[in-house]
Amino acid sequence: MDREFLIDLFADFGPVTIRRMFSGYGISADGTNFALALRAGLFFRADEVTIPGFEAEGSAPFQYQTRAKTVTVSSYWQLPARLFDDSEELAEWARAALAAAQRAKVKKRPQKKAAASKGMKKAAKSSTRVKKPAKKAAVRKRARRKA
């Protein structure tokens, strides 16, 4: 899939941003990535709300091979082939994928705040540390200089 094909494909959905990613493209709207166009096909973001629709169509989650195993990315599912010919329904699926991506973003936010507050706690602890006493040799040198 090339960039022009993807722009035409999402015409009924609305404006999308298409960026090079991995061996294909990442597709986003309003700053949220909701689809991947790779050699293996077009994959939409999915969650517990949208996965049953993909399963009903016989779709599968995105998978790739490493040297040791097959990795399954359950948050992206392959778009049913029939939707390439139905731009209006594809736009509906794209809106659902964008909504799933936005829900996933909202779920991640509390974790970032918790991590940030941990960082603030560490910074507060480090600023209240008591200085360690100088080594004995350094103390003797200072005493000699003063004398």
Side-chain angles (χ1 to χ4, degrees):
M1 282 181 247
D2 68 352
R3 183 181 215 90
E4 294 304 316
F5 174 77
L6 292 170
I7 290 170
D8 290 343
L9 191 64
F10 287 99
D12 284 347
F13 170 74
V16 293
T17 302
I18 300 171
R19 292 191 180 110
R20 286 297 268 151
M21 179 182 276
F22 308 120
S23 63
Y25 298 98
I27 303 162
S28 60
D30 300 326
T32 302
N33 194 36
F34 70 93
L36 299 173
L38 305 170
R39 281 182 254 143
L42 186 59
F43 297 87
F44 276 6
R45 181 69 188 230
D47 62 4
E48 63 277 349
V49 175
T50 59
I51 287 175
F54 286 99
E55 289 174 333
E57 292 283 339
S59 293
F62 174 62
Q63 293 182 335
Y64 64 92
Q65 291 286 132
T66 67
R67 291 182 185 178
K69 63 182 178 178
T70 300
V71 177
T72 300
V73 181
S74 60
S75 58
Y76 282 92
W77 282 65
Q78 189 161 21
L79 187 68
R82 69 176 184 79
L83 295 177
F84 286 94
D85 296 327
D86 187 349
S87 62
E88 289 178 15
E89 192 172 357
L90 183 133
E92 291 174 24
W93 281 66
R95 285 184 201 94
L98 179 59
Q102 290 168 337
R103 285 190 295 271
K105 251 185 178 180
V106 169
K107 284 182 183 178
K108 287 183 181 181
R109 284 190 182 138
Q111 292 174 353
K112 289 181 181 179
K113 288 180 182 177
S117 66
K118 284 181 185 178
M120 294 173 96
K121 286 178 185 177
K122 284 183 181 179
K125 282 182 182 178
S126 66
S127 64
T128 59
R129 285 186 184 165
V130 177
K131 291 185 180 181
K132 293 181 180 179
K135 293 184 178 181
K136 290 180 183 178
V139 171
R140 281 188 229 135
K141 281 184 181 179
R142 284 189 212 128
R144 286 184 204 148
R145 287 183 195 155
K146 289 182 181 178

